[in-house]
Amino acid sequence: MAITLKPLRDQIIVVTGATSGNGLAIVEEAVQRGAAVVATARNEAALEALRDRLSAEGGRIAICVADVSDMAAVERIAAVAIEAFGGFDSWVNNAGTGTYGTLEQVPVADHRRVFDVNYFGVLHGSLVAARHLRRRGGAIINVGSILSDRAIVEQGPYCATKHAVQALNDTLRMELEQEKAGISVTLIKPGAIDTPFPEHARNFMDQPPRLPPPLYAPSVVADAVLFACETPRRTLYAGGGGLLSSLLSRAAPRLSDRIMELVGTVAQQKPEDPGEPTRRDNLYAPRVDALRGSQDVRARKSSTVLQAQKLHPAFLVLGVLGAGIAIAVSRPKETRE
């Protein structure tokens, strides 16, 4: 089956981690563009408030309280989508959690919990989505991270899960292509995004955590995800800062390590600004959710790098060739004395 994706306004989209940060931005933007959404998260009160608000504005939304680390709960999400809308066309695995601290500081049980949510949550969602979409085609979009490409100090478990998600995503794509299943599989790699993640993460450092700049607004990730719902892409980077970090890591891995060792801890700490106390530590239970973080930071509202990736690949090739020709033509001719 060839991959044919519907226009967004004709889609039903499942979004996990839907009450906070990137997930909330994805849900709000999808509904605004005319899609129907099945929003899922652990926070029942936040889900109900989201449904009531968007429904009052004319949006089509169903909700399902679920912890994605539980396969039975994820299967229930699909059942809700079928009952409410007759199925779904795109499934977005966005739910995530994390810790701050060294590998030794973080208890092994917390390492496992991060994997249960970030890796097994994506696995559960991908398996359930693929089972359903094999009959109709569609898209699976997994939200990874720039930390899928390299690691950073103080977030070892999180980095490990995002590396694992990269491998899972690639394996899933190949298997579905072998089957000719007609399912697009995309990995979104955000850079640092202004979400409540630092406040939600369990912290073992001696200072409040933060995300290192440059930061981008959650709407940048929503833009990437919803583009992938309509357009098959292998990978999309959300934010130029993250892409630069990835490129540097590939070109000079040892130099990147040294930079992380020298400034990585300080860049992830924000003394005297811990953020909203009611949001702290949602590793095992939900806390207060929100679209943006409560710390005093600046976030960019758009990403030129993302917009460039949304161009048809042929245009990108032409652009590179054009730039090469322009450089060659403008280069001064050599003269002999």
Side-chain angles (χ1 to χ4, degrees):
M1 183 190 301
I3 295 176
T4 304
L5 304 180
K6 297 178 182 178
L8 204 63
R9 64 180 179 274
D10 297 330
Q11 288 202 30
I12 299 100
I13 304 173
V14 173
V15 182
T16 70
T19 56
S20 187
N22 297 328
L24 181 55
I26 294 164
V27 170
E28 291 180 338
E29 184 64 22
V31 169
Q32 184 178 347
R33 296 192 197 181
V37 173
V38 179
T40 180
R42 296 176 298 169
N43 192 331
E44 184 173 7
L47 277 175
E48 291 176 347
L50 178 63
R51 178 193 58 198
D52 294 346
R53 174 168 60 86
L54 295 182
S55 295
E57 297 170 358
R60 295 178 293 156
I61 180 171
I63 62 172
C64 180
V65 180
D67 185 329
V68 296
S69 67
D70 180 356
M71 183 62 162
V74 176
E75 290 173 336
R76 189 169 66 248
I77 298 169
V80 168
I82 292 169
E83 181 180 355
F85 301 115
F88 54 88
D89 303 289
S90 295
W91 184 294
V92 182
N93 288 308
N94 166 76
T97 190
T99 59
Y100 283 89
T102 66
L103 294 175
E104 285 190 305
Q105 286 176 318
V106 178
V108 171
D110 293 351
H111 281 261
R112 293 187 186 279
R113 175 59 181 170
V114 176
F115 260 89
D116 283 343
V117 176
N118 294 6
Y119 174 78
F120 284 101
V122 172
L123 175 64
H124 296 159
S126 296
L127 293 175
V128 170
R131 189 184 310 148
H132 178 85
L133 293 175
R134 281 186 179 96
R135 301 191 298 271
R136 58 193 288 170
I140 298 173
I141 297 97
N142 295 323
V143 179
S145 169
I146 187 57
L147 300 181
S148 299
D149 291 348
R150 74 146 296 118
I152 188 171
V153 296
E154 309 293 353
Q155 289 196 61
Y158 183 86
C159 295
T161 63
K162 294 305 181 178
H163 276 66
V165 165
Q166 166 94 49
L168 168 62
N169 197 83
D170 291 344
T171 304
L172 177 67
R173 181 190 303 107
M174 290 187 290
E175 291 180 355
L176 292 175
E177 285 178 346
Q178 279 184 323
E179 297 176 26
K180 296 181 170 51
I183 302 173
S184 172
V185 179
T186 302
L187 183 62
I188 307 296
K189 294 184 178 179
I193 308 296
D194 179 23
T195 73
F197 177 86
E199 299 154 89
H200 279 166
R202 176 163 287 191
N203 183 29
F204 295 92
M205 299 190 300
D206 59 2
Q207 297 290 344
R210 69 169 177 178
L211 293 170
L215 271 67
Y216 296 81
S219 57
V220 174
V221 177
D223 187 17
V225 167
L226 297 179
F227 176 77
C229 288
E230 295 183 297
T231 312
R233 284 289 191 274
R234 181 185 183 90
T235 305
L236 288 170
Y237 286 87
L243 177 58
L244 288 175
S245 176
S246 175
L247 293 174
L248 176 61
S249 178
R250 295 176 187 179
R254 186 60 186 139
L255 174 61
S256 297
D257 287 350
R258 292 296 295 160
I259 292 172
M260 293 295 177
E261 292 163 11
L262 290 170
V263 302
T265 297
V266 174
Q268 295 182 88
Q269 293 180 340
K270 198 167 177 60
E272 311 303 328
D273 188 6
E276 174 57 48
T278 59
R279 299 181 186 180
R280 292 179 192 163
D281 190 0
N282 75 349
L283 188 58
Y284 292 95
R287 297 287 185 258
V288 172
D289 287 327
L291 178 65
R292 306 284 287 268
S294 63
Q295 294 174 313
D296 183 18
V297 299
R298 294 182 179 181
R300 304 179 184 184
K301 296 181 180 180
S302 63
S303 167
T304 302
V305 164
L306 174 60
Q307 299 311 313
Q309 293 169 89
K310 290 164 69 175
L311 296 173
H312 192 282
F315 287 110
L316 293 178
V317 172
L318 289 174
V320 171
L321 290 175
I325 293 171
I327 292 172
V329 170
S330 62
R331 182 178 298 169
K333 295 181 179 179
E334 294 182 359
T335 58
R336 294 183 179 179
E337 296 181 358

